[in-house]
Amino acid sequence: MTSVTTTDGRGAAGAPVRALTVLYDAERVLCTHLRGWLARQPQLVPLELLPAGSAAARARFPGLDHSSGLEEVTVVGDSGQVYRGSRAWIVVLWALREHRPLAHKLATPAGAGLARGAALAAAKWRDARGPGRRRGGPWGGQAYRRADGWSYHPRTGWSYSPPSRAGAAPTSG
């Protein structure tokens, strides 16, 4: 079961989505290119495109972790739903008239792996662009590790190592 987080702590999993705000990194070439592409697409659900970490984004979503929006795409629904990474891209595709059928396919268990792979490939391409990287950003071309177990090294690319469950509560099953 996928959980949906919200910007204000309320459960928004059952709320209809009538509008989406896409937070993108305005300092990255790939992100700004995709922003332009999204703006030209016919939309079934209106998309507002807002630079992540900007004063406008911080004012609009004060409870959101804005630093993570600079590392992966973040989408916020009008009822407070927050989607990140590949799930965010699936939601964005769902909002586009010509790409909704693809979003439905990517939302399946089989499609989710493809969506995750595409998001990781885009991140690898984006981070390898040298001057197109985020200026003054924390990555700086070194190994990059995420809490979900994915890591990127400039020489070997992306790899996955499940996070340690040491200290985790036992699961019942």
Side-chain angles (χ1 to χ4, degrees):
M1 180 172 164
T2 301
S3 65
V4 177
T5 58
T6 65
T7 58
D8 61 0
R10 61 195 158 99
V17 175
R18 294 188 181 99
L20 295 166
T21 301
V22 180
L23 300 172
Y24 68 96
D25 189 342
E27 298 277 329
R28 297 204 188 241
V29 173
L30 179 61
C31 296
T32 57
H33 172 76
L34 289 171
R35 181 226 177 271
W37 180 81
L38 287 172
R40 294 187 303 271
Q41 299 303 304
Q43 301 170 3
L44 294 171
V45 175
L47 297 177
E48 178 182 3
L49 305 162
L50 194 61
S54 67
R58 290 179 188 282
R60 180 118 176 254
F61 307 111
L64 192 64
D65 175 9
H66 291 274
S67 62
S68 66
L70 295 172
E71 300 209 9
E72 62 183 350
V73 66
T74 301
V75 176
V76 182
D78 60 332
S79 294
Q81 308 93 328
V82 177
Y83 307 91
R84 296 189 190 276
S86 60
R87 289 186 179 125
W89 282 115
I90 292 170
V91 170
V92 168
L93 291 172
W94 173 83
L96 303 176
R97 184 177 65 212
E98 295 174 14
H99 299 284
R100 187 168 275 188
L102 175 60
H104 286 291
K105 289 177 185 174
L106 293 174
T108 66
L114 179 62
R116 180 73 177 156
L120 290 172
K124 181 178 179 181
W125 183 89
R126 177 197 69 199
D127 288 338
R129 298 287 31 114
R133 276 199 312 257
R134 193 158 201 289
R135 291 180 289 281
W139 185 65
Q142 303 301 312
Y144 167 75
R145 290 175 184 76
R146 294 172 35 129
D148 64 359
W150 286 96
S151 61
Y152 176 76
H153 189 279
R155 289 190 194 121
T156 59
W158 284 97
S159 62
Y160 178 75
S161 178
S164 169
R165 295 193 46 89
T171 58
S172 59

